[in-house]
Amino acid sequence: MNVLESVRMSWRAITGHRLRSVLTVLGVVIGVGSVITFVTLGASLQAAIVGDVATSSPDIAATVGPAGGPEGGPGSAESIPVFTEHDIEQLQGIEGVDAVIPTGQVGIAGLEYRDDRIRWPAVTATTAASFDEDEFADGGPFTAGANETVLNPAAARMFERNVSAGDEITVEFAENDSRTLTVAGVLNESTGFAAVGGGGGTPAIYVPTDPFYTTTAESPATGERQRAYPQLTIRAASYEQVGAVEGPARDYLRNESDASQLKPASYEVSLTTNDALVEQIQGILSTFTNFITGIAVISLLVGAIGIANMMLVSVTERTREIGIMKAVGATRRDVVQLFLVESIILGVIGSVLGTVVGLAGGYAAAELIDLPVSFAPEWFAIAIAVGVGVGIVSGIYPAWDAARTDPIDALRHE
């Protein structure tokens, strides 16, 4: 029996029991559709997050944290002030370094704007080099040594009335130590710069290190007390020079710097580039997507069981037909081929429809939660392959069961 004849007979058997065939295919549609939906959501989420982070940034973040642990970050529990002014000067002397930007936290008691007072734990001290002019929706960077501040959009909106450049806010640093700061600028919504970690919807308030940052440590290199920071951002002159800067900066910070001597013995200096951060985020998102997709794959197992069940019922119903086929010369191979083709057709139909449903579901879900829609084309081919695979696996036993049917007993079957 040729394959085309098997397809014709299988299609006749499928259309002869439309409702049962539809219900069987529905199991595969749900399984494949669930997988495609979650894969599409995962790809869209990854595109949204990585798209915000993955810029050709020339910045290298230097932090201190436990050896073998995750990279430290600004304001993290593991960050301790060990990078001195001496370290900053030495790093600025490395060829290809455009700027070295310190970052530290300054504890405060609260903020006040036009009689609207809120409690707030800390502001971020940094330098004007943290900001570019095009990152501001209003105003510009603060001036070193001035009583000025920069706010991100969330901070500008956290009072009863929005704060604008040129307004004044009162910062209560300690009891009987309040200072009035002029808002030099408000950042735009899209700003997410590595130097001070200012992206996102969390309110952030920035002040100049001079005169507000007062944490000091004795420099082992000079013997003088200097400002010491928990994080530095080493900015290369261009993105192409990041690799050339990273090596010498790491060697200095780990072997010769004040930080290497001031840090606890169990801690180490870590340098993180933007590319490394993107890889970490992609790894986390891929793990999450694979986990959710693995759960959805269970639906495919249910679909496979549905096909196997239908094929077993079909073998029972067509016992007499099988006997007639064998009586007129059909071989076991012909019978196996007939039932395998039928199960494969069901699997392919289910996987194709499931792919369409999954794409529609993924698109709708991404639009609903306001994510940029991103598809994973390789999964379309995988879905078709899975449909064929489900059909083969589900049809093997019923086909074998049909092939070993005794033709004489089959012809007696009513």
Side-chain angles (χ1 to χ4, degrees):
M1 183 187 300
N2 61 48
V3 175
L4 289 179
E5 182 65 18
S6 295
V7 171
R8 187 187 66 79
M9 294 179 65
S10 297
W11 183 251
R12 186 182 62 188
I14 291 171
T15 55
H17 301 85
R18 287 187 176 85
L19 181 59
R20 188 170 68 191
S21 299
V22 167
L23 293 176
T24 301
V25 168
L26 187 61
V28 181
V29 170
I30 292 173
V32 173
S34 298
V35 172
I36 297 295
T37 296
F38 285 119
V39 168
T40 301
L41 271 178
S44 300
L45 180 63
Q46 184 164 309
I49 296 177
V50 174
D52 289 339
V53 178
T55 58
S56 298
S57 171
D59 292 348
I60 305 169
T63 56
V64 167
E71 299 286 351
S76 69
E78 304 296 348
S79 295
I80 55 177
V82 294
F83 300 104
T84 64
E85 298 285 353
H86 173 75
D87 288 340
I88 294 174
E89 293 174 5
Q90 296 300 308
L91 289 168
Q92 285 176 331
I94 295 175
E95 183 178 357
V97 172
D98 182 59
V100 180
I101 304 164
T103 305
Q105 298 295 308
V106 179
I108 64 173
L111 302 164
E112 185 175 337
Y113 174 64
R114 295 185 179 180
D115 298 323
D116 180 14
R117 188 181 185 281
I118 60 175
R119 296 185 63 84
W120 201 253
V123 295
T124 301
T126 186
T127 63
S130 297
F131 314 102
D132 292 329
E133 290 289 344
D134 59 1
E135 293 176 333
F136 287 87
D138 188 18
F142 47 60
T143 304
N147 286 334
E148 294 180 343
T149 183
V150 167
L151 311 181
N152 75 348
R157 293 191 296 262
M158 67 181 178
F159 297 96
E160 289 183 0
R161 284 178 284 186
N162 290 349
V163 181
S164 302
D167 292 343
E168 293 183 340
I169 63 173
T170 300
V171 180
E172 185 180 341
F173 287 92
E175 189 174 356
N176 300 322
D177 182 15
S178 296
R179 304 187 201 181
T180 300
L181 308 183
T182 301
V183 178
V186 177
L187 298 167
N188 58 42
E189 294 284 353
S190 61
T191 300
F193 35 86
V196 292
T202 302
I205 301 158
Y206 308 102
V207 297
T209 54
D210 179 22
F212 298 104
Y213 190 78
T214 57
T215 301
T216 61
E218 183 176 323
S219 168
T222 66
E224 301 173 353
R225 292 201 70 82
Q226 302 178 348
R227 285 192 179 97
Y229 304 92
Q231 180 187 10
L232 298 179
T233 298
I234 306 163
R235 179 164 293 166
S238 66
Y239 174 70
E240 290 72 22
Q241 291 181 275
V242 168
V245 168
E246 184 181 2
R250 178 180 284 106
D251 290 342
Y252 169 75
L253 288 173
R254 290 187 173 177
N255 302 314
E256 304 174 30
S257 66
D258 287 346
S260 64
Q261 299 180 59
L262 293 174
K263 70 176 180 63
S266 60
Y267 281 41
E268 68 178 3
V269 177
S270 298
L271 269 68
T272 305
T273 63
N274 201 59
D275 290 344
L277 179 61
V278 169
E279 288 179 4
Q280 291 175 9
I281 293 173
Q282 287 177 324
I284 294 170
L285 291 177
S286 294
T287 300
F288 174 74
T289 301
N290 291 340
F291 173 73
I292 298 299
T293 303
I295 296 175
V297 168
I298 296 174
S299 300
L300 275 176
L301 178 61
V302 175
I305 293 173
I307 292 179
N309 180 64
M310 175 183 171
M311 296 309 300
L312 286 171
V313 172
S314 181
V315 169
T316 301
E317 290 180 344
R318 296 161 66 186
T319 299
R320 186 174 179 81
E321 179 185 338
I322 294 169
I324 294 173
M325 288 174 59
K326 283 193 168 186
V328 296
T331 64
R332 285 194 173 191
R333 182 178 178 277
D334 293 332
V335 176
V336 168
Q337 176 179 290
L338 176 64
F339 283 90
L340 269 182
V341 167
E342 185 174 334
S343 63
I344 290 172
I345 290 174
L346 291 171
V348 170
I349 292 173
S351 62
V352 171
L353 294 178
T355 299
V356 175
V357 170
L359 288 175
Y363 179 85
E367 287 289 321
L368 183 64
I369 57 181
D370 199 25
L371 288 176
V373 181
S374 179
F375 298 111
E378 65 274 10
W379 279 90
F380 307 159
I382 292 174
I384 302 300
V386 166
V388 175
V390 165
I392 293 174
V393 172
S394 304
I396 285 176
Y397 176 75
W400 173 80
D401 186 50
R404 69 189 183 93
T405 302
D406 184 87
I408 297 176
D409 292 337
L411 289 170
R412 291 173 178 170
H413 186 79
E414 295 295 336

